[in-house]
C-alpha cells in the first residue's frame, strides 16, 4: 500500500505536484494507492479532477485506489459531484487493510 497525505489546499497551484506523485505511485509495485485527505482544508475542481484521473489510471492498471475522508468541505465536494459513490472511501488507511 502506498499512501500520500495531502494538506492545505488542493487546487490549480498544487494539483500538478499531486498528479506527479500519484503517477509515480501507480507505476510502483503497490496494489493499493491511497490519498489521505484528512489534512486538506480546501479542494477545487482541479484537485477533484486530479483524483478522478488517478482513480481511472489505477483501474486501467488493475490497482485499487482509495481516499481517506477529509474535511466537511472536501466531503461535500465529493458528495455533490458523485465521486463519493464511485470511489472507495475510508476513515483511515488501516481500515482499508482490515476491511473494516
Amino acid at each position: 500500500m502506498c499512501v500520500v497525505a495531502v494538506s492545505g489546499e488542493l487546487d490549480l497551484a498544487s494539483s500538478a505536484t499531486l498528479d506527479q506523485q500519484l503517477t509515480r505511485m501507480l507505476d510502483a509495485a503497490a496494489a493499493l494507492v491511497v490519498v489521505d485527505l484528512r489534512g486538506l482544508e480546501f479542494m477545487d475542481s482541479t484537485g477533484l479532477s486530479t483524483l478522478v484521473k488517478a482513480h481511472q489510471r489505477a483501474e486501467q492498471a488493475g490497482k485499487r485506489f482509495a481516499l481517506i475522508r477529509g474535511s466537511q468541505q472536501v466531503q461535500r465536494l465529493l458528495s455533490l459531484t458523485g465521486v463519493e459513490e464511485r470511489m472507495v472511501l475510508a476513515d483511515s488507511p488501516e481500515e482499508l487493510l482490515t476491511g473494516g
Side-chain angles (χ1 to χ4, degrees), residues 2-6 10 14-28 30 32-37 47-58 61 63-67 87:
C2 289
V3 180
V4 61
V6 185
L10 181 55
S14 59
S15 288
T17 302
L18 177 61
D19 186 57
Q20 291 170 354
Q21 284 184 302
L22 291 173
T23 298
R24 282 195 300 272
M25 293 171 114
L26 290 167
D27 289 343
L32 172 60
V33 175
V34 179
V35 180
D36 188 340
L37 304 176
L48 183 67
S49 176
T50 299
L51 295 176
V52 169
K53 288 177 187 174
H55 177 251
Q56 290 170 341
R57 287 195 309 261
K63 299 185 180 203
R64 292 174 56 214
F65 184 87
L67 303 175
M87 290 191 197

Side-chain angles (χ1 to χ4, degrees), residues 46-91:
T46 309
L48 183 67
S49 176
T50 299
L51 295 176
V52 169
K53 288 177 187 174
H55 177 251
Q56 290 170 341
R57 287 195 309 261
E59 283 188 332
Q60 290 169 351
K63 299 185 180 203
R64 292 174 56 214
F65 184 87
L67 303 175
I68 304 303
R69 289 182 182 88
S71 70
Q72 187 174 359
Q73 184 273 335
V74 171
Q75 287 307 119
R76 182 167 165 77
L77 180 61
L78 295 175
S79 177
L80 289 173
T81 57
V83 170
E84 185 177 60
E85 297 169 11
R86 294 194 313 260
M87 290 191 197
V88 173
L89 276 89
D91 291 322

